[in-house]
């Protein structure tokens, strides 16, 4: 699906051009102008990860979140040398959202279970806790 915007004088010409393209099957509808509404958030959670640094750790966690239709509003990462042994410890904190309408298959316990499995495979502790509307993101991030 694609939304195109063009001046009224060009609508018919654009339709003709698109319909005559090879391997394209197009149906056209006129969209009415509407005022945009703020998206409605169906779930907000705070993700916390601590553990051994691994290549691809951010990708693996964010990919998992995306597969569960969670968006990242804010994320902070840092690393430090472990006090004993000199290994690099990785920290990641994020505020994540699922927007309404939420997918029928959205299941926060499944998300948490999948995060735990990724954490186990990466030697990290990962938690995802629900946040309330009045929770202060900055306090959670230690800012």
């Amino acid at each position: 699906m694609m939304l195109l915007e063009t001046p009224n004088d060009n609508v018919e010409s654009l339709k003709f051009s698109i319909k005559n393209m090879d391997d394209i099957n197009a149906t056209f509808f006129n969209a009415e102008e509407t005022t945009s509404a703020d998206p409605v958030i169906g779930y907000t959670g705070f993700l916390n990860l601590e553990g051994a640094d691994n290549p691809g750790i951010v990708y693996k966690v964010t990919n998992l979140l995306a597969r569960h239709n969670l968006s990242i509003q804010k994320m902070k990462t840092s690393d430090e040398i472990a006090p004993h042994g000199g290994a690099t410890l990785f920290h990641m904190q994020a505020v994540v959202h699922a927007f309404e309408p939420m997918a029928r298959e959205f299941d926060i316990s499944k998300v948490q279970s999948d995060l735990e499995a990724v954490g186990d495979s990466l030697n990290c502790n990962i938690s995802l806790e629900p946040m309330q509307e009045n929770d202060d993101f900055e306090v959670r991030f230690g800012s």
Side-chain angles (χ1 to χ4, degrees):
M1 183 182 324
M2 183 184 307
L3 175 64
L4 299 173
E5 185 174 337
T6 188
N8 287 337
D9 297 346
N10 298 344
V11 171
E12 293 307 316
S13 173
L14 178 64
K15 285 180 181 180
F16 179 80
S17 296
I18 292 173
K19 283 183 178 181
N20 288 308
M21 295 174 123
D22 291 336
D23 299 323
I24 298 278
N25 182 8
T27 304
F28 299 91
F29 301 95
N30 290 331
E32 301 296 323
E33 280 194 41
T34 60
T35 58
S36 64
D38 290 333
V40 176
I41 297 172
Y43 173 84
T44 301
F46 184 77
L47 182 135
N48 191 47
L49 178 149
E50 295 180 341
D53 196 5
N54 291 282
I57 194 168
V58 173
Y59 169 78
K60 289 175 183 172
V61 172
T62 57
N63 188 39
L64 184 149
L65 294 172
R67 284 195 322 264
H68 285 284
N69 297 314
L70 287 163
S71 298
I72 298 169
Q73 177 187 352
K74 184 173 184 177
M75 184 169 71
K76 176 177 145 182
T77 64
S78 62
D79 60 12
E80 65 179 322
I81 302 300
H84 305 288
T88 302
L89 299 177
F90 183 77
H91 304 278
M92 182 169 85
Q93 297 175 315
V95 175
V96 299
H97 295 303
F99 293 99
E100 294 284 351
M102 292 171 45
R104 236 181 272 119
E105 63 273 3
F106 182 79
D107 179 0
I108 196 59
S109 60
K110 174 71 171 136
V111 177
Q112 291 167 326
S113 172
D114 289 353
L115 283 169
E116 186 177 311
V118 167
D120 289 346
S121 74
L122 296 170
N123 195 26
C124 295
N125 294 319
I126 306 176
S127 63
L128 179 61
E129 301 172 8
M131 291 184 69
Q132 303 304 314
E133 190 173 320
N134 60 351
D135 277 353
D136 186 348
F137 299 153
E138 300 305 322
V139 170
R140 291 272 188 139
F141 277 97
S143 302

